[in-house]
Amino acid sequence: MNPEISKGLYVWGEFDQESAYLVESQKTKVNEKLSGPDFDVHLTLSGPINYNESDDRKNFLNLSKRFSKLKLKLSGIGYKENYFQSLFFVVENSDELNSLKKSIDEKAGFASKEYFPHISLFYGSANEDLKKNLCRELVIPNEIYLEKISLVKIHKNIEHWETFETFYLKK
């Protein structure tokens, strides 16, 4: 059973094909042992946001043209007793990533708050020792590339999340 989440539109950072494959392969290893729900690998940037399609589409398009494809460095694997942060790759904060997040938050009318960038590999609850042992089996990609921002409709069930619109960052 999924915990209650805020329904709405979230802004995800999504990866180029090679990076998505590297992360997805590790997520698959995790879920073979922990049997979590299926979800697209992503880096949550902001949300939930209000989105007016006629006005905000242009804003997100302009935003995506201001930022280039971002190289992200993964600095480790972490786990918590939090359904949506149960097991994850830790993403190193960078000026470029923080600038993108700040621009999105400003567009959404959010005040800046502390950001914990991570890429979830498993949603759910699992024994801490099991997660710790599993961390030793995973391969952390040296670097991955965020190439697009997507607006994702979040529904109560993870299996029903859907990408509403995607904007590619400039090459």
Side-chain angles (χ1 to χ4, degrees), residues 18-152:
E18 183 179 342
S19 300
Y21 173 78
L22 292 172
V23 174
E24 185 66 41
S25 67
Q26 298 308 297
K27 183 180 135 250
T28 298
K29 277 185 193 178
V30 168
N31 281 291
E32 285 173 355
K33 303 234 173 154
L34 300 181
S35 301
D38 190 33
F39 58 91
D40 293 335
V41 293
H42 64 278
L43 172 67
T44 300
L45 295 168
S46 193
I49 65 167
N50 292 319
Y51 183 74
N52 177 316
E53 192 169 355
S54 60
D55 297 334
D56 292 334
R57 184 178 195 292
K58 188 171 138 184
N59 291 335
F60 271 97
L61 193 56
N62 288 336
L63 181 75
S64 69
K65 290 177 181 178
R66 284 185 26 224
F67 288 90
S68 297
K69 184 176 178 177
L70 296 177
K71 178 167 59 170
L72 301 176
K73 183 156 177 46
L74 304 180
S75 59
I77 302 169
Y79 53 89
K80 295 183 179 183
E81 285 188 36
N82 177 323
Y83 186 90
F84 291 106
Q85 294 177 0
S86 190
L87 186 66
F88 51 85
F89 283 134
V90 178
V91 177
E92 234 175 64
N93 251 323
S94 68
D95 291 340
E96 295 85 7
L97 178 59
N98 284 316
S99 181
L100 175 62
K101 175 163 177 45
K102 183 179 178 189
S103 294
I104 291 167
D105 284 349
E106 285 173 357
K107 187 238 117 342
F110 291 145
S112 291
K113 58 183 178 182
E114 193 171 327
Y115 181 46
F116 175 63
H118 66 281
I119 302 166
S120 290
L121 300 173
F122 169 69
Y123 291 155
S125 56
N127 176 284
E128 184 176 332
D129 288 334
L130 183 59
K131 288 193 275 188
K132 204 181 287 187
N133 289 333
L134 195 50
C135 288
R136 292 186 199 109
E137 297 177 24
L138 299 177
V139 176
I140 303 169
N142 289 331
E143 55 193 40
I144 59 173
Y145 293 89
L146 188 118
E147 78 170 357
K148 56 191 171 183
I149 52 177
S150 295
L151 303 176
V152 178

